[in-house]
Every structure is written in C-alpha cells, then in structure tokens.
Amino acid sequence: MPASDSENRSPSRRALLALALAMMGAASMLYYHQRLLVPRALEAGLAKHLRGVYAFGNDFYPVWLTSKQCLQQGRNPYSTETTVQIQKGLFGRPLDPRIATDPTDLRMFAHPAFTILLLWPLAELPFPVARVVLVLLLAVMTLASIVFWTRALSWDLRWNWLAVIFLLTMCSYPTLEGLYVGQLGLLVAFLLAASILALQRGRLLLAGILIALTAIKPQMTLLAGFYLVLWSSQDWRKRWRFGVALSSTLLLLTGASLAIWPRWIPSWAHVVLQYHRYARRALVGEVLGSALGPHAAGPATLIMIAAGMVVALVLAWNNRAAAADSLEFWLTLSLLLSITTVTLLPGQAVYDHVILLSGALLLARWWPSVRSTWILRALMATGLAILLWPWFASCGLIVLRPLLSHQQFYSAAVLALPLRTAAAFPFVVLGLLALVLRQNRRPGGKSSVSVPV
C-alpha cells in the first residue's frame, strides 16, 4: 500500500511541477509577444510611413471591410477598388510597388466569396468591436479544439495535464500570432477538430457539414478533405452521409454566392493565381532557399512539393479503408496535415500551424506504448526541445533585458530568439509521424489509438 500511495503521489507532483513551469513559460511568452515583439513591429511599420502594418486584427480587416461593403453596396470583393480600400484601412494609403519598403503582400481579399456570407454578422459591428469579439471567439474555439482532439483520441487526461496543454497551445507563438491578427485559420482548425470528433462518434452528416465549412481557407484542409472523401467513398453504403453532407454544403454555399456575385469564381481564381507573385514560398521553399540559395531553391522547391503531393495521394489511397478509430486513420490524417503545413501553406503563415495539433497530440498519446528506437527517441527529444524553446528563450530574454543595451536587445539576432524554431517544428512532427507509420506497419505494430496511458 505505501508503494502504491507513492506511485499515486509521484505523477501528481510531476503534473503540478509541469503546470507551474507551463504557467511561467506561458506568461513569459505572452509578455514577449505583446510587450516586446508587437511594439517593435509597430515601430518598424511607422518608420516606413505605414500606419497599422502590424495592427490588432489586421488579417481580419479585409474580410470585415469586404463583407461590409460588398453586401451593402454590391461591390465585387475581388476588384481593384476593394483592394485599394483595404490597403487604405490597414496602412493609411494604397501600397506602391515602386516603394521598396512597402509590403509585398497586397492584402487582397483571397477567400471564397461565401466567407462573406458566413461572417456577415461581424461586419455589422464597428471594426474595433468586431475584432475583439472575433479574438474572444477564436480563443474559445482554440481551447475547444484541444478538448475535441483529446476526446476523439479517447485520451482521458487529468485536469492538470489538460491545463498544461491549454497553456502550451494558447501561449505558443502560432496561436498568439493568430489571435492578434484575427486569423481565420484558427476557426478552420476548430471546424476540423469538431468534424473529426463528429466523425468518430458516427455523426457523419455533421462531420461533412463542418469539413465543408473549412473551405473558407481551402489550402489548410485540401489534403485532409481529399482523404476523407476517399475514406467515405470506400464504404459508401455506411459512410454516404459524410459525402452527401460535404457536397451539399459546398453546393449551397457556392450557389448562394453565385446568386449575389455571378462571376465570383473566375475572379477568385484570378486572385489565387496572383497570390504566388507576392506571397512567400512554402515552408519547404524557405528552408531550401536558405540552404541552396535563390537560384537552386526554386526548382528544388517544386520537386519537393510535387513529391509531397505524390506521397500524400499514395498515403490517402492506401489507407482509405482504415477504420475511423484506427492508428492508420489518425496517422494518415495527421501526416496529410503535416505535409500541408510544409508544402501548401506560405512560409510566413505560422498561425496556420495549429493544424499540427492533431499530430502532436497523437504522438503524445501514442508514445508510452511505442517500441522506441534510438532514431525515434532522438527525434522525439528534438521535437520536445523545439516545442519548448520559445518559452525558455522568452524567459531568458526577460532576464537578460536589463543587462543588454537597447540596440543589442532589439537587434534581430537577439529579439527573434524565441522564434528561431518556428519553421523547424512542422518538419519534426512530419518526421516523427512518418517513422511511427513505418513502425506500425511492421509485424506486431499497433493498429489502434486506444492504448493505455
């Protein structure tokens, strides 16, 4: 009995220690983002004579303004006039390509037109109010996403460990950045998590509707949605509700938008095709650009993206028959989201990395039952270090701030220290999931996520 009591107390102590450290790291990261990074970025914008270049809610502003003007005035959401109005609201003036210091991101409205219809209630509010309401909603949705993923994984966590995950997620750089700029990627991540939970519980109609709504940012769930369509078509007699709900919802949204803007589809396609001219390269391109230089990086990036798409298609096809509660299903879904992060999303879209949450939680859930190899252990340790680095670095910066001069502290080499691992984390998650998938296919590999914790 004493040994048993000791064993029961020990995990509690570890959990409370982890919670205390998580609270300290979260507070440091929050202070770093709001009191050090954001003010410095605002100063840089003002130096370029651009008002609001890093303003609160600036990613939501194009959606808010477009919803307000296009529904009330019937304006084309993708027109040059609309883009100019967005730029004036964000920067105080239209962007000029002849000015080298002006942002290359033209801030065009790049969402499908039905995004306007789905978010029109917020357009009825003044923007200072609308952005606060949106951020509060996105914060609640992000917390709910964690609960949805853990429930879908049948992971019954104690409250203190769940609190640690809450803190690490909410005060991570991707989430803080997404909340500050009002990024709809957090909404898409919530809809994705809710859809998978509904699918796990057999509510296929609801799951199909929710995954269709993620089309407000289709690049985030393109591969995952494709896999779910294959999955539903594999056993159509049992899973037809998912496919019917998905297609019906998309048809309804598209048709309603066409009734208001008959030419929105070619206009949106034109904006999407222009996007690559001013958006940064995919994350894999950013990494290759640093390693190979600008000339060799372009072809290498195209090859890597093409290879990623081939791997994604083969993976989705091979595992289309997997049961929704199987490890193969979860690994396929999480791998597709990881491939999306490194190949389809722009390099600067760190806020969209919230779709890695399913893969990170799957690894944490599955890890106690793994037959670890030295490669897996090394990569897991690397991933954990990369995950925790921003909190350690932000704590270190706060401690070192009085010891450094203003110029030293606000230099790019020092101030950006907590952000140095942001680009590496998706690759580590992708590598770990790939190794787990490989090991699971060996004789004796696990086939279900329902493993003891």
Side-chain angles (χ1 to χ4, degrees), residues 36 108-109 131 149 218 231 246 297 299 306 355 392 400:
L36 299 176
M108 303 169 70
F109 180 75
R131 64 184 179 182
W149 285 123
W231 175 85
L246 171 60
I355 61 175
F392 286 119
L400 290 175

Side-chain angles (χ1 to χ4, degrees), residues 117-386:
L117 303 180
L118 294 172
L119 297 174
W120 70 263
L122 286 176
E124 299 299 317
L125 300 173
F127 183 67
V129 177
R131 64 184 179 182
V132 172
V133 172
L134 177 71
V135 168
L136 291 175
L137 289 174
L138 292 178
V140 172
M141 289 177 181
T142 303
L143 289 172
S145 298
I146 300 171
V147 176
F148 291 166
W149 285 123
T150 54
R151 289 185 177 179
L153 285 165
S154 302
W155 196 6
D156 186 18
L157 284 168
R158 295 179 180 178
W159 69 268
N160 37 23
W161 285 113
L162 190 60
V164 169
I165 296 176
F166 280 163
L167 287 169
L168 292 180
T169 303
M170 295 303 296
C171 290
S172 65
Y173 175 60
T175 304
L176 289 175
E177 189 75 358
L179 290 173
Y180 183 77
V181 301
Q183 241 299 319
L184 296 184
L186 297 179
L187 171 58
V188 170
F190 164 79
L191 292 170
L192 175 64
S195 175
I196 298 302
L197 178 60
L199 185 148
Q200 292 284 324
R201 297 191 170 182
R203 303 178 66 178
L204 299 185
L205 280 173
L206 178 59
I209 293 171
L210 291 172
I211 204 68
L213 295 179
T214 66
I216 60 174
K217 286 195 71 171
Q219 68 274 28
M220 288 184 66
T221 56
L222 180 63
L223 296 179
F226 172 75
Y227 172 60
L228 293 176
V229 169
L230 282 180
W231 175 85
S232 65
S233 62
Q234 173 64 21
D235 192 356
W236 184 253
R237 189 172 58 177
K238 293 182 179 178
R239 303 169 179 171
W240 64 270
R241 291 179 179 84
F242 178 86
V244 169
L246 171 60
S247 57
S248 299
T249 304
L250 287 176
L251 285 173
L252 178 62
L253 292 172
T254 304
S257 303
L258 286 172
I260 303 174
W261 303 284
R263 294 187 54 80
W264 79 264
I265 294 179
S267 299
W268 176 58
H270 178 70
V271 170
V272 172
L273 291 174
Q274 281 188 310
Y275 189 71
H276 75 280
R277 297 180 182 178
Y278 57 84
R280 288 171 59 178
R281 294 171 296 188
L283 193 57
V284 65
E286 296 282 330
V287 173
L288 291 175
S290 301
L292 304 178
H295 298 293
T301 300
L302 290 177
I303 293 172
M304 291 299 295
I305 292 176
M309 294 303 99
V310 171
V311 170
L313 293 176
V314 172
L315 185 66
W317 179 261
N318 288 342
N319 293 308
R320 67 192 185 279
D325 63 346
S326 66
L327 186 57
E328 288 81 4
F329 177 89
W330 279 99
L331 284 172
T332 302
L333 180 69
S334 299
L335 273 166
L336 292 174
L337 292 172
S338 300
I339 292 172
T340 298
T341 304
V342 301
T343 60
L344 296 183
L345 302 181
Q348 83 278 9
V350 64
Y351 35 72
D352 289 340
H353 292 181
V354 289
I355 61 175
L356 295 172
L357 188 57
S358 67
L361 290 176
L362 174 63
L363 289 169
R365 171 78 170 96
W366 174 84
W367 197 256
S369 67
V370 68
R371 296 177 300 163
S372 295
T373 65
W374 71 269
I375 297 178
L376 277 170
R377 289 195 297 270
L379 194 55
M380 192 66 177
T382 301
L384 187 61
I386 289 174

Side-chain angles (χ1 to χ4, degrees), residues 89-107:
L90 284 176
F91 308 116
R93 61 174 175 81
L95 297 179
D96 189 344
R98 295 170 297 181
I99 301 177
T101 56
D102 272 13
T104 57
D105 186 348
L106 303 180
R107 307 315 295 264

